[in-house]
Amino acid sequence: MITNEFWLDRWNTGRIGFHENEVNQSLIQYWPNLPLGSRVLVPLCGKSNDLIWLVEQGYDVTGVELSSLAVVEFFGDNDLAYTTEQTAYGKLHSANEMTLRVFEGDIFDFDGKVFDACYDRAAMVAMPSTLRQSYVEKVSACLREDAHILMISLHHDGNIDTPPFSVSDDDVASLWQRNIHKIASEDLVQTNSRYKESEYAYFEESVWRVLPDEL
Ligand SMILES: C[S@@+](CC[C@H](N)C(=O)[O-])C[C@H]1O[C@@H](n2cnc3c(N)ncnc32)[C@H](O)[C@@H]1O
């Protein structure tokens, strides 16, 4: 059973293999051209540098992250001064000189609205299957109806009890029930030496655009 304590412990013991030092290439390649100032939600953001990249493109960015250590490391690693306010549901940390804030707390307690877009990398796959539909509903409730979502998910034949959890194409379709497009896919067992030696027979990373039905 994956609890919030599981994630806090991962951060506290430095087991954050999911963290990328570089900006995610799929984000750079596939992020849509939205109006400057668009409000972008990044659920389960960790200390991802993708947040900074999105701000640099001219967006107003809000991350949501459970771990206070992740938040402190994010602002510290990027030399960003910030202020913190206590809200009813968690702490809100706002960068002083950037259109960037991170809500420190559980995504299910986040009450932010109404976002124009969402970037999900390794967020849905961090949710156990029992919480996945609730996660999708929660994120959807934070977004405009015509919001643009870019999502990076994983489908693999490894352990089903620990993250990253495998999410199939059918899962994505039934979870989102929107206009979904798989725009890229790569089996990392074939292309990445780190996975070639692993226990996986396949480890497929897919990039999805999730759009409102009429688009
Ligand atoms: C697999 S990591 C991905 C982090 C980030 N998206 C990235 O690309 O590096 C999942 C993150 O979600 C956070 N997390 C897990 N459950 C959460 C929840 N219920 N609410 C907010 N954050 C959560 C974890 O602390 C962890 O940092």
Side-chain angles (χ1 to χ4, degrees):
M1 172 73 171
I2 302 299
T3 59
N4 287 355
E5 283 62 42
F6 167 88
W7 288 106
L8 297 176
D9 187 56
R10 291 276 298 252
W11 280 98
N12 289 338
T13 54
R15 288 176 296 130
I16 55 164
F18 51 80
H19 177 71
E20 295 179 326
N21 288 323
E22 306 299 326
V23 176
N24 187 278
Q25 279 307 310
S26 296
L27 172 64
I28 296 172
Q29 195 170 353
Y30 298 113
W31 185 254
N33 204 1
L34 300 175
L36 291 183
S38 293
R39 299 186 65 222
V40 181
L41 175 65
V42 185
L44 282 65
C45 62
K47 58 171 184 173
S48 172
N49 296 314
D50 299 348
L51 295 164
I52 304 279
W53 185 87
L54 284 163
V55 173
E56 287 171 350
Q57 308 315 302
Y59 303 116
D60 183 308
V61 178
T62 300
V64 178
E65 170 55 48
L66 197 59
S67 161
S68 60
L69 187 56
V71 175
V72 168
E73 289 187 8
F74 170 72
F75 284 105
D77 290 354
N78 290 291
D79 270 337
L80 294 176
Y82 62 101
T83 52
T84 299
E85 63 184 292
Q86 183 69 49
T87 73
Y89 302 108
K91 288 182 182 162
L92 187 65
H93 308 277
S94 303
N96 292 354
E97 290 170 12
M98 276 187 162
T99 53
L100 171 64
R101 64 203 67 73
V102 179
F103 173 81
E104 178 193 326
D106 193 317
I107 185 71
F108 293 108
D109 292 332
F110 179 62
D111 65 343
K113 293 199 174 47
V114 173
F115 292 89
D116 303 303
C118 172
Y119 171 60
D120 171 327
R121 184 228 162 217
M124 192 176 65
V125 298
M127 284 283 154
S129 58
T130 49
L131 289 179
R132 218 177 274 155
Q133 187 67 59
S134 306
Y135 165 77
V136 168
E137 285 164 14
K138 177 67 203 183
V139 169
S140 300
C142 298
L143 304 177
R144 285 164 44 148
E145 275 195 9
D146 60 350
H148 196 123
I149 300 164
L150 187 74
M151 182 174 73
I152 303 174
S153 70
L154 298 167
H155 183 214
H156 61 72
D157 65 340
N159 190 336
I160 57 167
D161 296 324
T162 58
F165 296 107
S166 178
V167 180
S168 70
D169 292 5
D170 285 348
D171 292 335
V172 174
S174 74
L175 282 164
W176 284 97
Q177 303 215 337
R178 273 173 138 219
N179 186 355
I180 56 169
H181 303 266
K182 191 194 242 190
I183 51 178
S185 195
E186 182 179 352
D187 181 359
L188 299 180
V189 170
Q190 304 298 326
T191 59
N192 185 322
S193 53
R194 182 177 153 197
Y195 291 90
K196 274 185 187 147
E197 307 300 322
S198 70
E199 80 268 24
Y200 301 107
Y202 62 91
F203 194 95
E204 188 183 70
E205 185 178 77
S206 299
V207 185
W208 301 85
R209 258 189 227 301
V210 184
L211 299 169
D213 279 336
E214 67 275 15
L215 290 184

